[in-house]
Amino acid sequence: MPDEQMANSGGQPPAASTPPSPTARPLDTIDRSILRMLQTDGRASIRSVAERVHVSRANAYARINRLIDDGVIRGFSALIDQERAGQGASAYITLKIVQNSWRTVRKQLTALPGATHIALVSGDFDVLLLVHTKDNRELRELVLTRIQSIPEVLSTRTLLVFEETDLGPEEG
């Protein structure tokens, strides 16, 4: 990873030499500051990270690599304005699924076009899915044809998103 642009490696962190540890090391205030900075600007240079958190470039580089190796940083990505990207319809879809079918359903939902977030949750439904589609017609097709045809999906409920705001890292 070059010193100046850590995220210009195809959007993915360098391959970790060892698998992430099962128990995360505690993060100190410098680690947390680095994480907040990278959440705001994943393309920040090592030099700018080091200057902002008041450590040497070598220390900043080592800390970022440790956060990657430990699995705290899972990757680098771009924040997309879905509407400007031609995805004018967004919806949260709740699903009730057959008991113990989460892994099977997750695999099928992950392959859906426009699926951006999938969560196994507790409460009145089992899965919460966020999708972005070109328009309501495409959304209807996704729900009625693709999702409801998954055998383990018992029922769905679609919640249209009228407006959304991505929240940045917490201050402090």
Side-chain angles (χ1 to χ4, degrees):
M1 181 163 52
D3 184 33
E4 288 307 308
Q5 292 295 332
M6 37 189 203
N8 283 347
S9 59
Q12 296 300 316
S17 56
T18 58
S21 63
T23 56
R25 294 181 238 188
L27 302 180
D28 63 17
T29 56
I30 293 173
D31 292 330
R32 292 190 189 287
S33 294
I34 290 171
L35 291 174
R36 275 194 304 277
M37 186 174 176
L38 292 177
Q39 281 180 296
T40 302
D41 180 8
R43 296 179 63 184
S45 68
I46 295 289
R47 179 180 20 200
S48 65
V49 170
E51 288 172 0
R52 296 255 327 258
V53 300
H54 308 292
V55 297
S56 70
R57 287 189 349 195
N59 188 332
Y61 185 81
R63 283 175 178 266
I64 291 168
N65 280 336
R66 179 178 48 85
L67 291 166
I68 291 169
D69 290 344
D70 286 353
V72 175
I73 296 176
R74 296 182 299 163
F76 297 92
S77 63
L79 295 175
I80 308 297
D81 182 315
Q82 296 295 336
E83 196 167 354
R84 288 183 179 216
Q87 303 295 321
S90 298
Y92 284 96
I93 303 167
T94 66
L95 295 84
K96 288 186 182 181
I97 62 174
V98 172
Q99 189 173 0
N100 297 321
S101 66
W102 164 240
R103 286 178 181 81
T104 303
V105 172
R106 178 181 58 196
K107 184 176 182 180
Q108 294 176 71
L109 295 177
T110 302
L112 292 175
T116 59
H117 185 83
I118 303 167
L120 178 66
V121 298
S122 65
D124 293 337
F125 49 88
D126 304 306
V127 178
L128 182 62
L129 171 67
L130 174 61
V131 298
H132 301 284
T133 60
K134 177 181 167 190
D135 53 28
N136 283 345
R137 178 171 288 154
E138 194 174 287
L139 176 61
R140 182 184 68 221
E141 182 70 20
L142 182 72
V143 173
L144 297 179
T145 303
R146 301 284 301 268
I147 296 173
Q148 290 184 356
S149 69
I150 299 171
E152 297 84 0
V153 172
L154 301 173
S155 67
T156 64
R157 176 174 283 167
T158 303
L159 307 165
L160 291 176
V161 174
F162 296 127
E163 185 176 317
E164 57 188 320
T165 302
D166 289 323
L167 303 176
E170 60 183 310
E171 298 297 319

